[in-house]
Amino acid sequence: MTGRRLTSLLAYVTTAATGASLLTGCGVLPGATGGSREPVTVMTWAPDQTRATNMPGMPAMAQAYARWVNSQGGLDGHELRVITCNEQNTSAGAADCARRAVRENAVAVVGSYSQNGRAFMAPLEAAGIPYIGGYGISEDEFTSPLSYPVNGGQASLIAGHGMQLAESCRKVSLVRPDTIAGDKLPGLLNSGLRKASHRSAIDIPALEDAAEYSQQADRARTKAGREDGCVTAVLGERTQTFFDSFRRLPTGAADGDAKGEEGGKDGKEPAVRISSVLGSVGQPVIDRTGGAHSPFEGAYVTGWYPEAADKSWAPMRKVIQEHAFADNRVDPADAGVQTTWIAYTVLKEVVEGLDQDTITAAKISHALDRGARIDTGGLTPTLRWKYEDLLGAPGFPRIVNHEVTFQVVRQGRLVAQKPGFVDVGETVLSAP
């Protein structure tokens, strides 16, 4: 071979290799069909490093999900691009994240947390961007026609918790945020209590970002009484702070000598039992506060999904193990992480069902409105958002999954108190 021909061949090979490298940099995925399908951009937001509830595991789970699905060839051949945003637990922060989703041409907001529904839904609705699987903390998630919740939100949890407590508690004290969202909780809890002809709970509002709750803890324990009394707190991340104040209350007081600390120093059952709902108390909190020696030992907890050890979570755990690396924000027992996994499962099934080269926000919402059925592998009932699937409860019309699980803390682990799901749809419908 002459020197000129060898030089030409080398130039051709180099050019081809450079072209392949550029194509890879532009987002052509392994397994994608010739790179003909456009990327799918979505956003996941949650508050982080704030004084109230923080959910850093949700955007971290979204990023891990994207790494996994892209390693498998993408969403039906589309590269999944995830943008994350710190919602900051403020209405301004939520609105900023929503406007950024519009600017970035996101086709959906997926698996996110925000209490500021009014602030974020307006920009999304104006741009026609669906909100898939928010945490269920804001009322707007259950009223906006562009919201597709994967669980029954706080409404189902609190109504179900009332049903759970009615079986074991003679009197109940409820400590909840002194906010607009918190104002709805007493009615929901009481609807569950009334289902068993139980008296209403004592309502104790509290600041959701307080440094301590001694006054509210003392009142809650006193009102619950000494005989089969229960104190439930639903304060998000500050629930742990509340029960720390509760544990430090002096014993032997006029409230009935409640031990305060679960189990008491003599190992006997305490006079007042504690309880909460998933999201305010979960396995990560129990682990941080002592495991089997945690003040939450014996506590009742109502959740949306099966217990964290359930085999239905195995696919999520595998993805976390292989693609979250050493990211300690991604805890498979965290309700926010779990909700994000389910929300991205919805996105994946919808995109695959569309089977189109270009995915838009309108195509996704249209597919969901027309009755796309989502199988979550036993983590929820089959999800579908057609009109006839909506619960239609006042204030929460778009609930489609109104099933919860009853759990209890035993030997430092959240386990099922009773097997399977409990349908709380009628209880939510009866709430004021």
Side-chain angles (χ1 to χ4, degrees):
M1 181 178 292
T2 66
R4 178 175 296 177
R5 290 178 62 190
L6 179 60
T7 300
S8 298
L9 178 61
L10 288 173
Y12 172 80
V13 171
T14 301
T15 301
T18 302
S21 175
L22 288 173
L23 285 173
T24 301
C26 289
V28 176
L29 300 169
T33 55
S36 61
R37 298 203 150 174
E38 294 184 0
V40 170
T41 300
V42 300
M43 176 175 278
T44 297
W45 64 54
D48 191 16
Q49 298 181 337
T50 73
R51 293 182 58 192
T53 299
N54 296 295
M55 287 286 179
M58 298 182 78
M61 180 71 245
Q63 292 169 327
Y65 190 96
R67 286 192 289 269
W68 166 67
V69 82
N70 288 336
S71 74
Q72 305 297 310
L75 294 176
D76 197 33
H78 300 268
E79 177 190 6
L80 176 60
R81 295 177 176 173
V82 172
I83 307 165
T84 62
C85 188
N86 184 356
E87 183 265 359
Q88 300 177 352
N89 262 325
T90 65
S91 58
D96 286 345
C97 287
R99 286 192 289 265
R100 184 181 168 201
V102 175
R103 290 196 306 271
E104 300 277 2
N105 295 316
V107 299
V109 174
V110 187
S112 298
Y113 180 102
S114 177
Q115 299 184 52
N116 303 288
R118 292 182 182 178
F120 70 74
M121 278 309 310
L124 296 185
E125 288 176 345
I129 297 175
Y131 188 73
I132 302 174
Y135 192 79
I137 196 71
S138 74
E139 185 175 327
D140 295 75
E141 295 176 55
F142 299 101
T143 58
S144 171
L146 278 174
S147 180
Y148 304 89
V150 300
N151 58 48
Q154 285 278 57
S156 293
L157 282 185
I158 302 300
H161 198 52
M163 294 171 60
Q164 184 180 21
L165 296 182
E167 299 178 359
S168 305
C169 307
R170 192 176 67 89
K171 294 175 67 177
V172 177
S173 293
L174 169 65
V175 183
R176 50 82 174 181
D178 190 7
T179 62
I180 294 175
D183 290 342
K184 296 184 178 297
L185 302 188
L188 288 163
L189 185 73
N190 289 334
S191 69
L193 292 171
R194 282 196 302 270
K195 195 170 182 64
S197 301
H198 198 287
R199 70 180 72 183
S200 296
I202 306 301
D203 181 25
I204 303 175
L207 293 175
E208 65 175 344
D209 60 353
E212 62 88 31
Y213 294 94
S214 298
Q215 182 179 353
Q216 292 85 358
D218 183 57
R219 185 180 173 212
R221 190 177 71 173
T222 300
K223 293 294 185 180
R226 67 171 5 178
E227 296 180 10
D228 298 322
C230 290
V231 171
T232 185
V234 184
L235 292 165
E237 196 167 273
R238 293 291 170 162
T239 303
Q240 178 180 335
T241 304
F242 170 81
F243 281 121
D244 186 58
S245 296
F246 184 85
R247 179 177 60 86
R248 295 174 186 275
L249 289 175
T251 59
D255 56 32
D257 296 319
K259 296 295 182 183
E261 190 169 359
E262 188 67 29
K265 294 180 180 179
D266 56 7
K268 297 180 180 178
E269 192 73 10
V272 178
R273 193 155 191 167
I274 63 174
S275 72
S276 189
V277 297
L278 209 63
S280 287
V281 172
Q283 192 60 55
V285 173
I286 296 165
D287 292 341
R288 287 198 305 267
T289 56
H293 302 288
S294 165
F296 297 106
E297 183 67 19
Y300 295 126
V301 179
T302 303
W304 291 304
Y305 315 124
E307 62 190 67
D310 191 279
K311 63 181 181 181
S312 301
W313 294 112
M316 181 190 73
R317 288 181 174 276
K318 187 173 187 293
V319 168
I320 292 173
Q321 182 180 3
E322 296 178 358
H323 295 277
F325 308 117
D327 192 340
N328 59 12
R329 296 174 299 169
V330 187
D331 189 325
D334 178 75
V337 169
Q338 294 172 347
T339 300
T340 302
W341 169 264
I342 295 170
Y344 273 90
T345 300
V346 173
L347 177 72
K348 183 174 186 291
E349 292 205 22
V350 171
V351 171
E352 289 175 348
L354 288 171
D355 189 25
Q356 296 185 16
D357 290 343
T358 301
I359 303 297
T360 65
K363 289 178 181 178
I364 290 175
S365 57
H366 185 63
L368 291 170
D369 292 339
R370 287 179 61 86
R373 299 176 66 90
I374 310 298
D375 180 0
T376 62
L379 298 175
T380 69
T382 299
L383 300 174
R384 195 177 69 162
W385 292 270
K386 287 191 75 173
Y387 179 79
E388 55 264 34
D389 301 307
L390 305 180
L391 181 61
F396 309 96
R398 290 189 65 80
I399 290 179
V400 296
N401 174 12
H402 35 85
E403 296 191 354
V404 299
T405 56
F406 291 169
Q407 302 177 31
V408 65
V409 182
R410 292 186 182 137
Q411 298 182 341
R413 306 302 299 174
L414 263 173
V415 298
Q417 183 190 15
K418 60 188 302 183
F421 291 99
V422 178
D423 192 329
V424 299
E426 289 186 6
T427 308
V428 175
L429 281 169
S430 68

